[in-house]
Amino acid sequence: MKKIALVEDNPDNRLLVRVILESLYEVTEYENGFAALEGLPKEKPDLVLLDVSLPEMDGTEVLRRIRTDANLHDLPVIALTAHAMAGDREKYLAAGFDEYVTKPIVDETLLLDAIKKLLNGVN
């Protein structure tokens, strides 16, 4: 079973994503960027779902640190964000995210399709 790391500070959002994914993937949850950066090298996932608006260290900084880590730099990372204004998708993809999914998750197939695409190496 493929492993997905979920980095999300909101417990309700973590629960929703876990319910969507738990029958398909092994999900490890992190409440903040510091916990993720400590845990990811120990249990390297196949993909990371990363909230952009995290307290203390935002998702873009967490992504930057993932990309500079020799053991993690190739991990596919999906921006999971409530930022859904015009140009946000392009901004986050330009920052190095592999895909972009908006919250709240209304249509779970968008999330599942993005995950499948990246896990299957289709860009």
Side-chain angles (χ1 to χ4, degrees):
M1 186 175 276
K2 297 272 188 179
K3 297 181 194 176
I4 294 182
L6 170 62
V7 187
E8 168 65 65
D9 61 314
N10 182 297
D12 293 333
N13 289 337
R14 283 197 311 272
L15 176 61
L16 175 62
V17 171
R18 186 176 348 107
V19 167
I20 292 170
L21 299 181
E22 68 186 350
S23 66
L24 303 167
Y25 304 101
E26 181 181 323
V27 179
T28 304
E29 299 175 17
Y30 300 99
E31 289 185 27
N32 59 58
F34 292 108
L37 291 170
E38 184 178 314
L40 290 175
K42 296 173 185 168
E43 287 191 48
K44 186 176 177 185
D46 297 292
L47 182 139
V48 178
L49 294 172
L50 179 54
D51 181 14
V52 172
S53 298
L54 293 168
E56 299 175 33
M57 180 191 313
D58 71 14
T60 304
E61 176 60 19
V62 174
L63 176 69
R64 188 190 68 73
R65 293 183 187 200
I66 288 172
R67 294 294 186 236
T68 60
D69 184 312
N71 295 318
L72 301 175
H73 75 279
D74 59 343
L75 274 177
V77 181
I78 297 176
L80 197 57
T81 179
H83 296 279
M85 301 297 289
D88 281 344
R89 176 182 179 79
E90 293 75 15
K91 176 175 107 176
Y92 291 114
L93 293 177
F97 287 93
D98 296 287
E99 191 52 83
Y100 167 94
V101 175
T102 58
K103 297 185 294 188
I105 297 170
V106 180
D107 182 357
E108 66 187 57
T109 59
L110 295 174
L111 175 63
L112 292 170
D113 288 349
I115 291 169
K116 284 180 200 167
K117 179 179 100 170
L118 292 173
L119 289 178
N120 292 329
V122 179
N123 284 327

